[in-house]
Amino acid sequence: MNPRQVADYMFNQDYFSQWMNIKMIEVKENYCLIEMPIKKDMINGLKTVHGGVTFAFADSALAFSSNNTGDAAVALNCIINFTKAGKEGDVFRAESILVNDTRKTAVYDIQITNQNKELIAKFVGTVYKIGKKVTEL
């Protein structure tokens, strides 16, 4: 399978990403660009996007980029910095780029922006390669 086919295979089983209405814009080896509309049920008590939603969106980008070679990888450590509050009606984009790759781990930089290309959050995720194929899980 090519990277897009692997990402589609994963997405078809990822009911949480489906609930978030994630759309895959571009998928290449160790890379993805995804998009998500901000819905009313993603808003917190301060009328901004719940931080957990933003984190989960970045985590989905990490999953689709770090597994799309067909070799399974799981999150080992993730750090997020929130830079701007999102609002209902926004459209978030997450771009995941591989920055370091070793035999057992890899590090990805993920930027989340809104429809105005304003930075919403910066996420760095480290994954552990578990030694299995995505299709074996």
Side-chain angles (χ1 to χ4, degrees), residues 36-118:
M36 174 184 74
I38 300 303
K39 307 180 289 185
K40 184 176 185 172
D41 52 356
M42 296 174 166
I43 302 301
N44 65 23
L46 299 177
K47 299 180 185 170
T48 61
V49 177
H50 192 288
V53 170
T54 305
F55 187 99
F57 181 53
D59 188 48
S60 288
L62 177 64
F64 296 133
S65 59
S66 67
N67 285 280
N68 72 29
T69 62
D71 296 317
V74 295
L76 186 62
N77 184 50
C78 300
I79 299 168
I80 192 166
N81 287 292
F82 301 100
T83 56
K84 183 175 179 61
K87 304 279 188 187
E88 183 180 352
D90 281 350
V91 177
F92 281 7
R93 277 193 163 200
E95 183 177 40
S96 179
I97 299 171
L98 175 68
V99 294
N100 188 54
D101 194 19
T102 71
R103 186 176 55 82
K104 293 303 282 180
T105 64
V107 177
Y108 289 80
D109 274 344
I110 299 165
Q111 284 198 37
I112 298 174
T113 56
N114 65 13
Q115 67 278 1
N116 300 319
K117 296 186 170 43
E118 297 168 315

Side-chain angles (χ1 to χ4, degrees), residues 25-43:
I25 307 302
E26 186 177 1
V27 178
K28 298 185 284 193
E29 187 171 315
N30 296 307
Y31 171 91
C32 79
L33 176 65
I34 60 175
E35 190 174 271
M36 174 184 74
I38 300 303
K39 307 180 289 185
K40 184 176 185 172
D41 52 356
M42 296 174 166
I43 302 301

